[in-house]
Amino acid sequence: MYLSILFFLLLWAQALALKNLNYSVNEEQGPGTVIGNIAKDAKLGLGQGGQGKKSNFRVLENSAPHLIDVDPESGLLYTKQRIDRETLCRRSPKCQLSMEVFANDKEICMIKVDIVDINDNSPTFPSDQIDIDISENAAPGTRFPLTSAHDPDAGENGLKTYQITRDDYNLFSLDVKSRGDGTKFPELVIQRPLDREERNHHTLILTATDGGEYPRSGTMQINVKVIDSNDNSPVFEQPSYVVEIPENSPPGKVLIDLNATDPDEGSNGQVVYSFSGYAPDRIRELFSIDSRTGVIKIQGEIDYEENSIIEIDVQAKDLGPNPIPGHCKVTVNVIDRNDNWPSIGFVSVRQGAISEAAPPGTVIALVRVTDKDSGRNGKLQCRVLGNVPFKLEENYDNFYTVVTDRPLDREQQDEYNVTIVAKDNGTPPLNSTKSFAVKILDENDNVPRFTKAVYLLQVPENNIPGEYLGSVLALDPDLGQNGTVFYSILNSNVSGGDVNTFVNVNAANGAIYAVRSFNYEQIKFFDFKVLAKDAGSPHLESNTTVRVSVLDVNDNIPVIVLPLLLNDTAEIHVPRNVGVGYVVTTVRAVDNDYGESGRLTYEISDGNEEHLFEMDPVTGEVRTAHPFWEDVSPTVELIIRVMDHGKPTLTTAARLIVKAYSGPLPGGEPHINEEHHNWDTSLPLIVTLSIISMMLLAAMVTIAVKCKRENKEIRTYNCRIAEYSHPQLGKGKKKKINKNDIMLVQSEVEERDAMNVMNVVSSPSLATSPMYFDYQTRLPLSSPRSEVMYLKPTANNLSVPQGQGHSVGCHTSFTGPVTNTTDTPSSRMSIIQVGTTNPSTRFLVIYVNLCLFR
């Protein structure tokens, strides 16, 4: 496309070179006569417009389209009919036809065709004969103007001379004079005195001859009648007058007041004025003369462009018998006035729209400006009207080119009305205007621009995939494909994943949709870039940033992490007589939501009708509110409700069984019966448990060292109770637990996952032990030896083989490293501790059966 535009501009640029061609053709040539070959004479090669392209010739202007024309393919200039120079140009000494031809869409040829006169016309007189009355008293030298002959031919073929014949007595002679316009006229001059009595009639032959190679002539007979004398003739004050008059002078204006005198008396001295008998009809159309006063007035339209000089022959004669007229010549110089408006013609105007990428100086049109006035009145000044990106450049011979003055921008204005103003220098000046339209062709010169630098979109969490999030908009002022914008998302990563798995964009309208459901607790916001690209060639593009903010929704129910619950129930033992304000327990809950949705409030919703307890709504502490609550109800079931402040409000509840006791905690009863399901708790809880674990570990290490040093048996609290309950067992022989006493069997609880979960139970040799402890925990197969975890009692009571007594379960959890105490007299129980584990991880189920013998 750019090459075609450049090629078109190149053709227009070359069109500025005008070529002048001059031809001549004889008049009276028949139709089809070839005058010349424009293609050859202008040195235009065939197909010069482009390889394989035929030559073409287009006539832009033709002064005589009925007489001459140009063949549009060959460029031959030929006649269309017979040309008669005399009919075409009348008396003009130069007969010329003009033509403007646009050759091969790039060359303008200015053609002038001179019509060459041939001597095809003979001089003719207005009449075959004229009668002249001459007084016998006419003195020698008296002149009588004669009618002029007319020869339509010009130059050498025109009228050249006059001669008189058949003057047998040599009474007359002929004097040939020239007018200001070059035409010749004869005057009859008396050579000798006339005698009416001798001869009263003379016949003369006036012959007019042209100057052709083969001269032609015409004759007129002059009948001279000699009459009796009238002694005096009228005489003008001057033989000739020169008058100046502006063109377009109004009718009735006095041109000149002539005065001729005759000394005779009576009718012989009364003078009558008139135009000479041979005065042209055009003179009688333009002027009138008063026969009595001699005043000449204007009665027609005087046009400088038609005749700049007009000659009037006037005669004056008296009313006496046999008058002898007097003659004078009035020369009228017509003064040019600024009465012609400048004429503007478009020789050629660019077809179609012009590209907005066209450089300054691109040719739009070729203009020709003329003015029929002369001098200052015909001198022109041309310009382009208004503040438009176009200007005129003057070439020559009244030709101007309209070119671009600065870069074009279709987005600012897609069409211009170019007005050419031509003004002459006359007083007052006259001006003309002429306009044409120029349409601007769009180019892909504008980058799509987003309406915002950053788009902020919001979406509530838990949205539906495919939900509309918002739109981006890029504007491109170009037209058609150049202004059609397509949208896409630039590849990037969001939280380690492809951005296209989060959102997508409609390529046509920029609408952005969610691909997945968002979770505020996982991602609060993310940024990506949207690309806007138009469909032009080449493509233009830009991008913008889009930030999607995920709004928190109250979608997480509060979870109670303290105290540890079993089936949403925790049992709390409170000493008696603790008074008012005793902290029974602290309820702690977590909510993964943020803001008001994550702010929690605690309350006792049920079971506290007697107002025995009160609960801090912020800290979750449960305190005694009655000094003797245990007397009112030794066992109280409180329903604790924890609620957040989101909309809608989400709540969770737990049951606290508060029991009163005096003395130490009852054996076999845990302080709080709880089961830990998920240790993904808040940071303070983790820190607190870590500190407690470290303290218990330090205590166990201290006890272990002390036991080894004193070589005493260390038992747990429950084991000591068991020892006191069965004193007869303490006298038996101690039995060590060896490696061979433990074997791995398939878990009864998780048989479906036998490859990953195993049970560890005591050897049959230990089954007879009266003291039987059963601990269950889960341990990954890949757990290292040093890894520890919390021990959880599987049940309060465990059956033993018949005849072996019963066992008491261990309820107090001790912490410490895993040890092998085979070097001491008594078996030591290994305590295992681990941190928070993933519920989905597979573990081993370990049953440790310990039998202690005294």
Side-chain angles (χ1 to χ4, degrees), residues 831-842:
I831 308 301
I832 306 172
Q833 178 183 0
V834 297
T836 304
T837 60
N838 192 327
S840 63
T841 309
R842 296 177 177 176

Side-chain angles (χ1 to χ4, degrees), residues 55 186 236 242 377 392 507 585 629:
S55 298
F236 286 95
V242 178
N377 297 332
L392 277 179
T585 186
W629 66 273

Side-chain angles (χ1 to χ4, degrees), residues 688-839:
T688 302
L689 293 178
S690 300
I691 294 174
I692 295 174
S693 300
M694 293 176 64
M695 293 176 64
L696 292 177
L697 179 63
M700 287 302 300
V701 171
T702 303
I703 294 174
V705 173
K706 184 176 180 181
C707 290
K708 184 175 182 181
R709 182 179 300 172
E710 296 179 359
N711 197 18
K712 293 182 179 181
E713 180 182 8
I714 300 176
R715 296 182 175 88
T716 63
Y717 175 77
N718 289 356
C719 292
R720 294 182 185 275
I721 296 177
E723 180 181 359
Y724 297 150
S725 303
H726 303 277
Q728 69 277 11
L729 298 177
K731 298 179 182 180
K733 185 179 180 181
K734 301 179 181 177
K735 183 175 180 61
K736 296 182 179 179
I737 300 177
N738 297 323
K739 180 177 180 182
N740 296 329
D741 293 334
I742 300 175
M743 67 177 178
L744 299 178
V745 297
Q746 185 174 358
S747 172
E748 297 177 357
V749 180
E750 302 183 9
E751 294 181 357
R752 60 181 179 273
D753 202 14
M755 296 299 295
N756 296 325
V757 180
M758 301 298 292
N759 288 343
V760 182
V761 300
S762 62
S763 172
S765 62
L766 299 178
T768 57
S769 301
M771 299 300 293
Y772 191 86
F773 299 92
D774 191 353
Y775 289 84
Q776 177 180 350
T777 187
R778 294 176 178 268
L779 183 66
L781 291 178
S782 60
S783 299
R785 178 180 181 87
S786 61
E787 185 178 7
V788 296
M789 69 180 298
Y790 293 106
L791 282 179
K792 303 175 183 178
T794 60
N796 293 335
N797 297 311
L798 184 65
S799 300
V800 296
Q802 185 177 1
Q804 301 303 325
H806 64 277
S807 65
V808 178
C810 296
H811 303 287
T812 304
S813 297
F814 294 86
T815 59
V818 178
T819 58
N820 186 4
T821 58
T822 57
D823 56 344
T824 60
S826 60
S827 297
R828 295 180 176 86
M829 179 176 60
S830 299
I831 308 301
I832 306 172
Q833 178 183 0
V834 297
T836 304
T837 60
N838 192 327

Side-chain angles (χ1 to χ4, degrees), residues 238-405:
Q238 295 178 204
S240 64
Y241 298 87
V242 178
V243 181
E244 290 185 349
I245 185 172
E247 65 173 329
N248 300 326
S249 295
K253 183 177 181 179
V254 176
L255 177 66
I256 190 172
D257 186 359
L258 297 176
N259 185 28
T261 59
D262 190 332
D264 293 330
E265 294 181 353
S267 60
N268 291 336
Q270 188 175 353
V271 179
V272 177
Y273 301 90
S274 65
F275 294 120
S276 297
Y278 54 83
D281 294 337
R282 182 60 179 164
I283 297 296
R284 302 179 188 275
E285 293 174 359
L286 296 178
F287 305 98
S288 66
I289 186 170
D290 192 313
S291 61
R292 291 180 302 171
T293 63
V295 175
I296 299 177
K297 294 183 179 180
I298 298 172
Q299 68 175 8
E301 183 178 355
I302 307 300
D303 188 1
Y304 174 87
E305 287 70 37
E306 180 182 354
N307 286 307
S308 59
I309 299 176
I310 303 174
E311 291 185 349
I312 306 172
D313 293 317
V314 182
Q315 69 179 8
K317 63 181 179 179
D318 56 33
L319 297 178
N322 305 318
I324 300 176
H327 297 85
C328 75
K329 184 187 296 287
V330 179
T331 302
V332 180
N333 293 328
V334 182
I335 301 175
D336 184 31
R337 295 188 61 183
N338 192 22
D339 61 337
N340 289 283
W341 299 79
S343 175
I344 302 174
F346 294 114
V347 177
S348 183
V349 178
R350 188 190 195 102
Q351 301 297 320
I354 179 174
S355 170
E356 63 176 329
T362 302
V363 177
I364 305 299
L366 185 62
V367 183
R368 185 177 187 181
V369 182
T370 58
D371 194 325
K372 293 182 180 180
D373 294 323
S374 61
R376 290 180 53 85
N377 297 332
K379 187 173 294 185
L380 300 175
Q381 297 177 353
C382 300
R383 62 185 178 90
V384 177
L385 184 65
N387 184 22
V388 294
F390 304 98
K391 66 178 180 179
L392 277 179
E393 289 184 351
E394 184 176 3
N395 297 325
Y396 48 86
D397 199 15
N398 295 327
F399 277 95
Y400 295 83
T401 50
V402 182
V403 299
T404 56
D405 187 33

